């Protein structure tokens, strides 16, 4: 018998992040008729670490930042997942995101388990030197957990290729040799993969395209609203624009913009870069964030943070399709309402798996010291995403269920199979 009382669950029983991630797992697991005793093993994080990072700020003060790394499950391979710099980061959030990452990596059939890290900070309020010191100290603190065969961080909300370069350098200095594959999402000039930066957005497009094909529809003339204009939101918008979809609404943290005739993404990106916000962007009207989510469009792409579509927003969503470019943007209650209303949801663990897929390619390239062309990366990414969509689509047809349940069923059964075959240690 496996003891099902555990501290990690008890600790975070009431956290909305953890609870929502757990509910999605539990909902699928219940339909799978698997051995009950594995339910807790599969849903419990294997290891979580909390660290404090004292940093000397530019003005001479010392400030202590809290950081986390949660490693959820490594039955299928080393832990893998992003590192987030954001003021709302918490233990429960990284635990939830690490679990999502386990399912995501399994669904696209990567030889990785799932992890996630975070540091509680406002990256935009740190100077570049403060951010560097914070990254290096955090890396040193989590050093015993990471490594190319152990746990491989990557960019997430608030981090980028520069942060990954500092992480790589700190790790390499401390182990005494260059270790390219300890991190992915590095700059291309120091062993990063071409195509990694746009990979999540490109994956979103692959999945949306495949889904539209099942409906005999195409991207052309599709009216799309996108919440979030960070790495994922921007590249999704840019690629959609290039493929002749019409982006009618777009938002960043500070608010959104709307133009029913379409927003020019190149100009919006330039404006955002120069002004740090989309507010007052010419050729568009301002739109509050919740109105963006409920505006009259064909496809809604939440590409910002978790839980942005809850049960208060869900009944008013007008889109027929939602593509979860962010991790966990729809709460389980909202998910139920949307499904009842006939909205198709392309779930995060499928739709935004392009990023970690190209991270896998980068990891492989780093291990072999043999580097691929952009063309090769894009072709391989397309193959992985197409295969994953086809598997989810077939499962949804066969079991007459929604895409999220189908995706979770495939992912959980792969992790369960690996765990069962390996057995328990000792
Ligand atoms: N942070 C990304 C995600 O949520 C990428 C993780 C990775 O590349 O390891 O999937």
């Amino acid at each position: 018998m496996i003891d099902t009382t555990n501290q990690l669950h008890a600790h975070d029983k009431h956290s909305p992040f953890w609870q929502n991630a757990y509910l999605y797992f539990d909902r699928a697991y219940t339909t799978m008729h698997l051995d009950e005793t594995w339910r807790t093993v599969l849903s419990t994080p294997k290891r979580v670490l909390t660290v404090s990072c004292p940093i000397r700020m530019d003005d001479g003060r010392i400030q202590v930042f809290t950081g986390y790394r949660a490693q959820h499950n490594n039955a299928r391979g080393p832990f893998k997942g992003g590192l987030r710099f954001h003021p709302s980061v918490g233990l429960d959030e990284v635990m939830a995101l690490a679990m999502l990452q386990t399912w995501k990596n399994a669904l696209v059939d990567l030889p990785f388990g799932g992890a996630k890290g975070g540091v509680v900070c406002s990256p935009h309020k740190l100077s570049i030197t403060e951010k560097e010191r914070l990254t290096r100290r955090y890396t040193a603190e989590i050093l015993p957990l990471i490594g190319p065969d152990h746990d491989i961080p990557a960019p997430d909300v608030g981090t980028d290729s520069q942060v990954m370069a500092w992480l790589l350098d700190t790790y390499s200095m401390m182990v005494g040799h260059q270790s390219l594959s300890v991190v992915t999402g590095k700059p291309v000039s120091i062993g990063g993969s071409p195509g990694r930066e746009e990979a999540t957005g490109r994956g979103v497009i692959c999945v949306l395209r495949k889904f539209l094909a099942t409906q005999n529809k195409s991207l052309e003339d599709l009216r799309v609203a996108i919440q979030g204009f960070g790495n994922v939101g921007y590249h999704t918008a840019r690629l959609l624009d290039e493929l002749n979809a019409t982006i009618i609404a777009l938002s960043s943290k500070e608010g959104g913009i709307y133009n029913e005739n379409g927003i020019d993404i190149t100009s919006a990106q330039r404006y955002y870069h120069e002004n740090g916000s989309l507010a007052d962007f010419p050729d568009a009207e301002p739109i509050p964030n919740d109105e963006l989510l409920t505006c009259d469009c064909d496809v809604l792409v939440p590409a910002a943070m978790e839980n942005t579509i809850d049960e208060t927003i869900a009944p008013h969503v007008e889109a027929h399709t939602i593509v979860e470019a962010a991790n966990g943007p729809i709460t389980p209650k909202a998910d139920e309402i949307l499904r009842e209303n006939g909205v198709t949801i392309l779930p995060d663990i499928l739709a935004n798996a392009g990023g970690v897929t190209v991270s896998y390619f980068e990891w492989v390239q780093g291990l072999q010291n043999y580097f691929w062309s952009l063309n090769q990366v894009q072709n391989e990414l397309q193959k992985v995403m197409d295969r994953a969509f086809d598997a989810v689509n077939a499962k949804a047809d066969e079991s007459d269920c929604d895409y999220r349940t189908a995706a979770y069923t495939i992912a959980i059964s792969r992790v369960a199979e690996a765990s069962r075959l390996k057995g328990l240690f000792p």
Side-chain angles (χ1 to χ4, degrees), residues 80-82 101 104 116 152 154-156 184 196 327 352 355-356 359:
K80 176 94 193 81
Q101 195 75 42
K104 188 189 307 186
K116 187 71 91 177
I152 306 112
D156 198 87
T184 58
R196 172 62 186 87
N327 288 314
N352 73 30
V356 72
S359 273

Side-chain angles (χ1 to χ4, degrees), residues 247-260:
I247 314 297
I248 60 164
L250 195 59
S251 73
S252 62
K253 276 189 296 298
E254 305 77 19
I257 53 175
Y258 178 87
N259 182 344
E260 63 178 5

Side-chain angles (χ1 to χ4, degrees), residues 12 15 17-18 70 84 86-99 116-118 305-306:
D12 284 288
S15 134
F17 292 120
W18 175 254
R84 177 174 287 202
H86 195 272
S88 74
V89 162
L91 181 61
D92 53 322
E93 186 195 37
V94 293
M95 279 167 50
L97 292 168
M99 169 145 77
K116 187 71 91 177
M305 297 293 282
E306 302 90 55

Side-chain angles (χ1 to χ4, degrees), residues 38 42 48 80 83-84 86 105 109 150 178 203 240 282 285 292 301 306 322 327 348 422:
W38 284 93
L42 293 174
V48 293
K80 176 94 193 81
L83 165 63
R84 177 174 287 202
H86 195 272
N105 296 348
D109 217 359
H150 300 251
Q178 163 96 324
L240 282 170
E285 297 158 26
L292 177 141
V301 185
E306 302 90 55
I322 303 183
N327 288 314
D348 46 9
K422 284 176 151 179

Side-chain angles (χ1 to χ4, degrees), residues 5 9 14 19 81 124 135 174 195 275 298 310 330 362 393 415:
T5 55
H9 275 169
H14 303 295
Q19 220 170 36
H124 303 298
T135 305
M174 294 193 69
N275 299 282
D298 301 313
D310 61 14
I330 301 179
E362 182 175 331
N393 195 40
V415 180

